Each structure stands twice: as C-alpha cells, then as structure tokens.
Amino acid sequence: MKFLIQVYESLIFAYQALRSNLMRTTLSLLGVSVGIFAIVAVFTAVDSLNKNIRSEIDSFAGSGVLYVGKWPWIMQNNYPWWKYLNRPEMKYTEFQFLKDNLKSAKAIAIIDNGRSASATKGSSSMDVNMTGASYDYNQITSVPVQFGRYFLPIESENALNVVIIGAKVSENLQATVGDQIKLNGIKFQIIGIIEKKGNDLLSFGGTPDEKVFIPYSTFSAVFQKDKPAPDIAIKAMDDDLGQENLEGEVTGLMRSLRSIKPKQESNFAVNRLDGLNQFFDGIFAALNVAGALIAGFSLLVGGFGIANIMFVSVKERTNIIGIQKSLGAKNYFILFQFLFEAVFLSLIGGLVGIGLVVLLTLIPQDALPLVLSMKNIVTGLFISSFIGILSGIIPAWVAAKMDPVIAIRSK
C-alpha cells in the first residue's frame, strides 16, 4: 500500500511539473505529435487502401470463386508469358463439361470480361466496358440491378440481343429500360440498369457504372471477330474450406478433358482469390514498413526533444531532489517522477497526433475513404508510451541516483 501511495504521489509531482511549464511542455510534445500523426496516418491510409482493394476484388471476382483460364493471375519473377501465350483459350464446350460433371460447385458461369465497345443511342455515344456472361453469373458475383431485371435463361440460351447497362451509361445515353442502344453498331434492347456505385480509387475490370452486360452466347455469336478469350468462374459450396476440394476436382476434370498426361504441365490456370490476396499482402506489408521507417525519423526527433527537456528538468529540480531524498524518499519515487513526466509528455503528443488523424478521416474522400481503426489507435498510443519510456529512463535514472547532500548544495 505504501508503494502504491508513493507511485500515486509521483504521478502528482509529474503532473504539477508539466503544468508549471506549459510552454515548454507544448513545444516538447510537438515532435511526438508529428511523428505519431505520420505513423498512424500511414497505417490508416494503407489499411483503407487494403480494404478498398479487397472490396473491389470481392465485387469483381466474387467470394469463394475459382477462375479457370489461360493466364495465371500472379505474376512472379521470370513470369513465362510466352508459354502462357501459346495455351488454348477456354471453350464453351469445356464450360458445359464442367457444369455437367462438377460435384462440389455451387454455381458455374463462363465470362469474357473487359472488352471495350462503343455504345450509341441517337446522337449520344460513349465507350463502355462490355462483359459477356452466362446466366449463372449473378450467382458468382453480385449484379445489383436497380431498374428492370437480370437475364432470363431463355435469353441466355438463345443468344438474344439484350443488355444490362451501368448507371453512367444510362445517364450519358439518356437510355432507360425498354430502349434500344447499339454496341459497335449492333442493336440491343435494355432489360436492366445497375445501381450507381460512384468513383473508386481502384476498379477491377472497370467501374460498374460504365459497364454493359450481355449474354455470353450473344457475345460469342455476334462478336466473333473480337476472338473470345473467356474464363470459367466456379463458386465453391463453401467459400473457404470448399475451394481446395473444388480446385482439385476442376484440375482433374480439365486435365482429363484435354488429355494431358500425368507428367505434363497443365495448359490452363486455376486462379483463387486468396492467391491474389497474398500478392497484395506482400505489397501492403512493404508499404507499412516503408511508411513506418519514414515517419519514424520524425518520431525519433521528438524522442530526442523529450529526452533533452527531461535532462533540463532534472537540472532545474536538483535541489528539490536532494531535499526529497534527505526526507527519506526512495530512489524509485524520484525515478517515477521523471519517468511519468516523460511518458505523460509522449502520451499527450500521441493523443494530439491521433486527433489530427481523426480530423483527416472526417474530410470527405470519394476515391479512398479513410477509416481509423482501433488497432491503429492502440498502436499509436503504445508507440508514444514506448518513446516516452525510452526518452525518460536515462534522465530519471540520473535523478534517482543523485547524492542527497550534493543535490541540496547545488544551485
């Protein structure tokens, strides 16, 4: 109990010392404030970018989905593009074969993404991103139709000229459900309009607002000159656990269908979202390290500033330290006074820095909304506390080890 009382008294002494030198306190915590602001701001920006990219990946590719295609998504060192270039494209017959034989698939669709086309209605025109997709595509990933409807099975199977358009396409062409537009000069009837998403920093496969969706059968029949290069998208029964079993089943069926011998390399790629996520994990880890190192320099300067102020504080209060020790104050009582003072300085600076990041997140950001997580707040407070301990431990130790007689005689 006596120890706790003395620790509490040390806290009071540290608080009073800070209050008695407000100007010095304010100037000394500025360095830590800037450092913590920089580090937390970097972590917040990287986390927000990470969240934005993963959200875009999920909306573009779907969750728990495998993509069977010609090209691997992950471009590692010495990426042998010339080998992949000679691989055969996926075929509609292969899609039908997998659809008929897969046992662990929840849904399967064939898609051709990212084709540029010119959309016109009357005198209005714009470039759009055209996707050809089979009927089950909306079970693979969300196609949020706000007005009208999605494809009917009969429209998909019979290659009818129907189209679902993005919100920006509807606005620019002044087209609505039931109207006709031309895609590369060919007439299509609008059956649906996708809800508006707005601008994003990243949009995989193009922003949905500028997309048009047509049945894959129509795409392959009408746009043969564009040389269809589709992928087959397959959704697992279970988003996480089912992907490995599904990948093995798909690989076995495709190798059998293409008559690939056991020792031969597969001439197709099975891409998973977790592989793409791991690729981005490495990038974001590097960004976090680089940002922390850069911001750490300003934090280091702030730490030296606090250490310098603490040595000055010890020098100013040497006589008081001598009096306290002569009255029986223990070494830890003196040490805690100055250590608490350094930690207080650093923590206040950290709170100011975090407060600046909070203000930054309140600024409207259309491209990349910033979200300050509790993890980053705790990280900022922990770093500032650690800097306070490092900056104050040596001055506090010097004060605690003073000889009371010599300290009292000092001026």
Side-chain angles (χ1 to χ4, degrees):
M1 182 61 69
K2 182 179 178 181
F3 174 78
L4 292 176
I5 291 173
Q6 290 185 336
V7 170
Y8 174 74
E9 290 177 350
S10 297
L11 283 169
I12 298 300
F13 271 105
Y15 173 71
Q16 290 174 345
L18 293 175
R19 280 195 62 186
S20 62
N21 296 281
L22 284 178
M23 182 60 70
R24 188 170 71 186
T25 298
T26 302
L27 293 175
S28 58
L29 61 82
L30 281 178
V32 176
S33 298
V34 172
I36 293 297
F37 167 76
I39 287 180
V40 175
V42 167
F43 289 163
T44 299
V46 172
D47 287 350
S48 299
L49 181 61
N50 190 356
K51 183 178 179 181
N52 183 272
I53 286 179
R54 294 187 192 284
S55 174
E56 287 293 330
I57 290 174
D58 285 343
S59 64
F60 160 67
S63 178
V65 179
L66 302 180
Y67 283 80
V68 188
K70 177 177 177 178
W71 298 88
W73 286 357
I74 306 301
M75 296 186 180
Q76 299 174 339
N77 293 334
N78 301 319
Y79 187 76
W81 58 269
W82 56 90
K83 180 173 65 176
Y84 303 139
L85 184 65
N86 294 324
R87 287 178 172 181
E89 301 287 356
M90 305 303 295
K91 299 180 179 64
Y92 191 82
T93 54
E94 293 173 330
F95 157 69
Q96 288 287 5
F97 176 79
L98 292 176
K99 186 175 182 179
D100 293 339
N101 290 278
L102 280 173
K103 294 180 173 61
S104 52
K106 185 177 182 180
I108 178 169
I110 185 168
I111 57 174
D112 196 309
N113 247 323
R115 296 302 183 111
S116 180
S118 175
T120 59
K121 179 177 180 285
S123 60
S124 302
S125 66
M126 68 174 293
D127 291 331
V128 297
N129 193 295
M130 181 169 59
T131 294
S134 60
Y135 174 71
D136 286 339
Y137 181 65
N138 67 334
Q139 298 182 44
I140 301 294
T141 186
S142 175
V143 183
V145 177
Q146 185 176 17
F147 304 107
R149 58 175 175 81
Y150 187 69
F151 304 126
L152 296 176
I154 191 172
E155 293 169 335
S156 181
E157 293 166 3
N158 294 304
L160 299 184
N161 287 18
V162 292
V163 62
I164 300 171
I165 64 174
K168 191 171 182 180
V169 180
S170 175
E171 292 172 3
N172 289 358
L173 301 184
Q174 296 183 348
T176 186
V177 175
D179 290 347
Q180 283 192 340
I181 63 171
K182 290 183 179 180
L183 297 176
N184 289 350
I186 300 171
K187 289 182 179 180
F188 283 81
Q189 184 177 14
I190 300 170
I191 61 171
I193 300 174
I194 300 172
E195 66 183 32
K196 191 168 186 176
K197 185 175 183 181
N199 296 323
D200 272 324
L201 182 65
L202 294 169
S203 290
F204 290 86
T207 172
D209 294 345
E210 298 179 1
K211 272 191 172 185
V212 298
F213 294 88
I214 64 174
Y216 180 79
S217 54
T218 307
F219 176 84
S220 60
V222 176
F223 298 103
Q224 278 289 347
K225 64 179 182 179
D226 291 335
K227 297 180 181 179
D231 285 332
I232 298 173
I234 309 167
K235 189 174 183 64
M237 291 290 187
D238 184 284
D239 286 358
D240 298 317
L241 300 177
Q243 285 192 75
E244 292 185 7
N245 295 332
L246 180 59
E247 183 176 359
E249 188 180 0
V250 169
T251 302
L253 287 172
M254 283 297 300
R255 288 180 65 88
S256 173
L257 181 62
R258 290 190 172 184
S259 301
I260 300 173
K261 296 178 181 179
K263 291 186 179 180
Q264 286 182 316
E265 183 181 0
S266 297
N267 59 358
F268 59 90
V270 181
N271 297 300
R272 291 170 55 174
L273 285 182
D274 54 3
L276 196 59
N277 286 332
Q278 288 172 9
F279 172 74
F280 282 112
D281 283 341
I283 294 177
F284 289 125
L287 287 175
N288 272 324
V289 171
L293 286 175
I294 294 171
F297 282 110
S298 61
L299 192 58
L300 186 64
V301 172
F304 280 125
I306 289 178
N308 184 51
I309 291 299
M310 293 312 300
F311 276 116
V312 171
S313 183
V314 170
K315 183 70 175 176
E316 289 177 348
R317 290 152 56 189
T318 300
N319 187 264
I320 297 175
I321 294 170
I323 294 173
Q324 288 177 335
K325 297 193 77 172
S326 66
L327 294 174
K330 302 293 185 181
N331 285 350
Y332 66 79
F333 177 77
I334 305 298
L335 184 140
F336 282 159
Q337 285 183 42
F338 293 95
L339 191 58
F340 287 153
E341 187 175 339
V343 172
F344 280 164
L345 274 173
S346 191
L347 266 178
I348 294 170
L351 288 171
V352 172
I354 292 171
L356 292 174
V357 177
V358 171
L359 293 177
L360 187 64
T361 61
L362 296 178
I363 300 174
Q365 301 285 341
D366 292 333
L368 180 61
L370 296 176
V371 179
L372 177 59
S373 67
M374 183 56 66
K375 181 192 75 172
N376 287 334
I377 293 175
V378 172
T379 300
L381 292 176
F382 174 79
I383 293 174
S384 58
S385 300
F386 184 69
I387 291 297
I389 292 172
L390 284 182
S391 303
I393 190 65
I394 295 178
W397 183 260
V398 170
K401 288 297 182 180
M402 282 184 178
D403 185 284
V405 177
I406 297 176
I408 289 174
R409 288 177 178 176
S410 67
K411 294 184 180 179

